[in-house]
Amino acid sequence: MLWIMRFSGLFSAALVIIVLSPSFQSFPPAEAIRSSHLDAYLRFPISDTPPHRFTFRKAPVFRNAADCAAADIDSGVCNPSLVHVAITLDFEYLRGSIAAVHSILQHSSCPESVFFHFLVSETGLDSIVRSSFPDLRFKVYYFDPEIVRTLISTSVRQALEQPLNYARNYLANLLEPCVRRVIYLDSDLIVVDDIAKLWRTKLGSKTIGAPEYCHANFTKYFTSAFWSEERFSGAFSGRKPCYFNTGVMVMDLERWRRVGYTEVIEKWMEIQKSDRIYELGSLPPFLLVFAGEVAPIEHRWNQHGLGGDNVRGSCRDLHPGPVSLLHWSGSGKPWFRLDSRRPCPLDTLWEPYDLYGHSR
């Protein structure tokens, strides 16, 4: 298990160290697994974006530990022994996505059993991924921005209005029916523990699992118009809603499909267009549908907010306790701050996973 410990309560003077347990240190160099190619039925729009404007280094090879089940590289996405991880890919956040994948493979005890589902709205990204992870097991799914473009309303930060942010609402439709569960991860994080531990989360009767933060002021995520009208605020009747961050979720896609949660979320987005019931992008619809009905996951699996707030992106400290995942949610991203030579202390923990060609 990987622990991150703080030796200072003040962020400006934080000294952070990473301690690797012997179990992780003893893993042999690993070998990534062969990937499936794009399905023929995926139709991508023509893009003028040059596909190779980024250069990434090739990652080390990662092999399964001795006690892992044998990996069948030809079994496809429906292999029941796979751990499924979904991440979006776009040019703006590509550097973060590559680092996230790198971190997952490095700390996984069975990296050959991790299957990545990449959600894209641009072409050329699969070849960039393959340049860093030549044998990675993955598949690319095209998400049509037009599906949500008319449903998206303005937000406090323009980045939150990008259609690809809403692709997670459609995972149950995009992924194969045989994929019954998936871990959804944002692109601005690193995993510093074995992803299989998160995969084994028990959801019980719930559709999603995530770390909850019940001390947060839940009312701030919705407008006064929302709270003043029973037809809106009544959505939480009989529930004890808590804030959760949608950047790290374990999702039961089988139950999602059965209930039809995508359509429920879309209905709230339609209401938002006419009544302005929230201000913060793709998060509030998830809160409206699931807050108070979330299977709790340890906070160690989403040390979020490291990117500061949605405006200034100021430096933040870690929450107390052990860490399995660091998440730079907020406007400050570690690759931008490192390149500008004005990093926050915790950005140096992201840097070892950065495979960008011009980084040190």
Side-chain angles (χ1 to χ4, degrees), residues 59-293:
V61 220
F62 297 96
R63 291 191 183 93
N64 278 0
D67 57 349
C68 295
D72 182 0
I73 60 176
D74 297 318
S75 61
V77 70
C78 294
N79 185 333
S81 67
L82 295 174
V83 171
H84 295 278
V85 178
I87 302 178
T88 59
L89 289 181
D90 66 341
F91 282 106
E92 184 175 359
Y93 282 79
L94 182 61
R95 193 167 165 186
S97 298
I98 294 289
V101 172
H102 187 197
S103 71
I104 291 169
L105 294 174
Q106 181 166 326
H107 296 290
S108 174
S109 58
C110 303
E112 294 177 293
S113 297
V114 182
F115 194 104
F116 290 91
H117 304 263
F118 294 121
L119 312 176
V120 305
S121 294
E122 302 168 281
T123 59
L125 293 166
D126 58 316
S127 60
I128 297 176
V129 171
R130 195 177 300 283
S131 70
S132 287
F133 310 102
D135 299 309
L136 185 71
R137 200 169 194 176
F138 73 92
K139 186 173 179 179
V140 175
Y141 303 77
Y142 175 66
F143 176 70
D144 185 357
E146 297 307 316
I147 292 175
V148 293
R149 200 177 300 279
T150 60
L151 292 172
I152 297 174
S153 55
T154 56
S155 182
V156 294
R157 182 159 57 95
Q158 189 173 6
L160 301 177
E161 301 171 19
Q162 298 305 311
L164 199 58
N165 289 340
Y166 296 82
R168 57 189 162 206
N169 303 359
Y170 298 86
L171 278 169
N173 301 335
L174 292 168
L175 273 55
E176 289 78 357
C178 65
V179 181
R180 300 180 176 181
R181 168 184 284 223
V182 70
I183 297 172
Y184 174 81
L185 298 177
D186 274 352
S187 299
D188 53 357
L189 55 77
I190 55 172
V191 177
V192 290
D193 202 344
D194 192 344
I195 195 72
K197 297 177 183 178
L198 182 59
W199 176 255
R200 292 192 290 266
T201 296
K202 294 181 179 179
L203 297 182
S205 62
K206 309 303 183 185
T207 303
I208 66 170
E212 292 184 289
Y213 303 89
C214 295
H215 64 278
N217 180 9
F218 190 80
T219 59
K220 72 178 183 180
Y221 294 101
F222 300 93
T223 63
S224 57
F226 173 87
W227 294 112
S228 64
E229 295 203 37
E230 174 65 22
R231 64 189 176 114
F232 300 144
S233 60
F236 295 119
S237 178
R239 290 193 265 166
K240 294 182 178 179
C242 294
Y243 163 75
F244 65 94
N245 180 280
T246 53
V248 179
M249 296 185 290
V250 180
M251 307 173 68
D252 184 334
L253 298 182
E254 191 173 31
R255 183 177 288 113
W256 184 295
R257 295 177 182 117
R258 187 168 61 247
V259 177
Y261 282 119
T262 296
E263 291 74 20
V264 178
I265 289 175
E266 285 181 333
K267 288 179 180 177
W268 279 114
M269 292 176 69
E270 290 171 358
I271 292 173
Q272 160 71 357
K273 292 290 287 187
S274 59
D275 292 273
R276 196 67 183 179
I277 57 176
Y278 55 81
E279 303 286 354
L280 198 62
S282 60
L283 169 64
F286 258 86
L287 296 179
L288 283 161
V289 176
F290 295 111
E293 297 290 342

Side-chain angles (χ1 to χ4, degrees), residues 47-64:
S47 173
D48 294 328
T49 307
H52 297 293
R53 68 180 185 184
F54 293 106
T55 301
F56 291 88
R57 298 190 303 277
K58 186 177 179 180
V61 220
F62 297 96
R63 291 191 183 93
N64 278 0

